[in-house]
Amino acid sequence: RKPVVLKGMELGTCTTKWTVDYLSQAEGSKEVKIHVSAVPQMDFLSKNFVYRTLPFDVFVRRAAEVKHKEYFLSEDEKYYLRSVGEDARKDIADVRKQFPILAEDIQIPEYFEKEQFFSSVFRISSAGLQLWTHYDVMDNFLIQVTGKKRVVLFSPQDASYLYLSGTKSEVLDVDNPDLEKYPLFVKAKRYQCFLEAGDVLFIPALWFHNVISEEFGVALNVFWKHLPAESYDKSDTYGNKDPTAASRAIQILDRALKTLEELPEEYRDFYARRMVLRIQEKAYRNDYG
């Protein structure tokens, strides 16, 4: 249950074929919805980016540029494609359906059973782009096909130091965090790896990750269901909704906290602390050290 970088995997012809010219020609002018940001650090919580639509071949060439003659926000804006299903609210990303020609070039490592497969997410990032820290509820491979990435990871046990809002951390700049605003962040143990073209990073479910594209690059995320299929939310198309049992538990906790509001402040504080101790006693693992 720890991240690991796999090197020397057989990934097919994609690692040599996927140049800017080849990508542009292979999938042509089909339209894709992309993230566009005037700053390198994209923040999903404050939504400091806009969604725009471009023909795929135009998008690829723009994403590979440093300065743009044509742009939406600024000449040095950053681009990010995260492929989605035909209907993003209902359909799951599958590179074989959204990018069938490119899918023929890639061989996905078979470390899980075919029926466990959930999604394959095609990604293209401008050089210098940094994505927000978040966790996913399924195991996944980050297959770096071209370009270089730096990935900073944090263990699930350090969740209390990451200032979470849902599945995402409020701490955008993990290299130079604002410690006045986020003082506990220094307690989170940081793991870091550098991915070269052809490397595969295994990211276990619940591990937080922050991804920095050091070069223009193309990647594929492959998610699979390592828990029993019925554990997952059937309406989840992105692989980031909490398991159904966890969602129910959080709803029950919210109702319990609402009930505590009926008490005076000192009683509310006391019984809340008792509840925390009970959760620690009954649910925390004791083998983290």
Side-chain angles (χ1 to χ4, degrees):
R1 306 306 306 162
K2 290 186 178 179
V4 64
V5 177
L6 306 172
K7 291 184 170 287
M9 304 288 288
E10 180 50 59
L11 299 175
T13 58
C14 56
T15 51
T16 54
K17 286 174 72 173
W18 284 9
T19 63
V20 170
D21 286 342
Y22 176 78
L23 290 168
S24 301
Q25 292 166 8
E27 296 290 349
S29 60
K30 69 160 72 174
E31 290 201 329
V32 289
K33 188 177 181 181
I34 57 173
H35 302 64
V36 183
S37 175
V39 296
Q41 288 173 333
M42 280 193 180
D43 181 3
F44 193 83
L45 295 174
S46 70
K47 297 290 195 297
N48 67 345
F49 54 84
V50 295
Y51 292 105
R52 291 292 183 265
T53 301
L54 280 176
F56 181 73
D57 52 353
V58 174
F59 157 69
V60 170
R61 294 190 183 283
R62 278 212 212 172
E65 298 170 346
V66 177
K67 297 283 184 184
H68 313 294
K69 291 180 180 176
E70 294 183 58
Y71 51 84
F72 297 106
L73 304 174
S74 66
E75 65 175 7
D76 56 355
E77 64 192 15
K78 304 295 183 186
Y79 297 92
Y80 171 54
L81 167 67
R82 188 252 190 238
S83 67
V84 295
E86 303 311 313
D87 182 338
R89 292 170 299 177
K90 298 178 182 177
D91 300 325
I92 289 162
D94 187 339
V95 69
R96 295 167 296 187
K97 295 178 181 177
Q98 285 92 50
F99 298 91
I101 296 171
L102 294 177
E104 293 177 4
D105 300 334
I106 190 158
Q107 184 176 317
I108 295 172
E110 295 184 359
Y111 278 77
F112 53 91
E113 300 298 328
K114 283 184 171 58
E115 60 270 18
Q116 289 179 288
F117 172 83
F118 176 72
S119 67
S120 50
V121 181
F122 186 70
R123 301 182 191 269
I124 295 181
S125 303
S126 294
L129 181 75
Q130 182 172 12
L131 293 179
W132 51 89
T133 303
H134 68 284
Y135 71 87
D136 300 295
V137 300
M138 296 182 193
D139 285 354
N140 77 90
F141 282 139
L142 172 55
I143 302 170
Q144 190 63 29
V145 181
T146 70
K148 296 179 181 178
K149 277 194 175 81
R150 177 165 63 94
V151 185
V152 177
L153 304 108
F154 302 95
S155 165
Q157 75 184 91
D158 283 344
S160 55
Y161 309 135
L162 298 179
Y163 298 88
L164 297 185
S165 177
T167 63
K168 300 160 187 70
S169 169
E170 293 181 14
V171 185
L172 278 187
D173 191 341
V174 294
D175 296 320
N176 297 289
D178 181 345
L179 295 180
E180 285 191 13
K181 192 173 182 181
Y182 308 114
L184 295 178
F185 186 73
V186 293
K187 294 187 176 184
K189 184 176 180 181
R190 170 193 178 111
Y191 299 80
Q192 179 170 277
C193 65
F194 294 87
L195 300 181
E196 305 275 343
D199 288 348
V200 178
L201 172 62
F202 169 58
I203 306 176
L206 309 184
W207 273 77
F208 296 88
H209 45 287
N210 181 287
V211 181
I212 303 101
S213 296
E214 302 205 322
E215 299 175 345
F216 164 78
V218 185
L220 186 74
N221 262 119
V222 182
F223 294 86
W224 66 92
K225 298 178 179 181
H226 67 289
L227 300 178
E230 61 272 15
S231 301
Y232 300 98
D233 187 326
K234 289 183 172 58
S235 67
D236 186 6
T237 56
Y238 286 86
N240 59 8
K241 286 189 178 180
D242 291 316
T244 52
S247 295
R248 291 199 309 273
I250 290 169
Q251 289 170 0
I252 293 166
L253 175 60
D254 286 341
R255 288 200 297 271
L257 293 172
K258 187 73 175 173
T259 305
L260 283 185
E261 291 178 9
E262 298 172 14
L263 295 169
E265 185 179 19
E266 63 182 298
Y267 281 79
R268 189 165 65 242
D269 178 273
F270 174 71
Y271 286 102
R273 292 176 190 276
R274 279 195 59 188
M275 288 168 66
V276 169
L277 290 171
R278 190 166 179 81
I279 289 171
Q280 289 177 334
E281 176 191 348
K282 295 291 185 180
Y284 276 27
R285 288 175 59 176
N286 57 13
D287 57 350
Y288 274 140

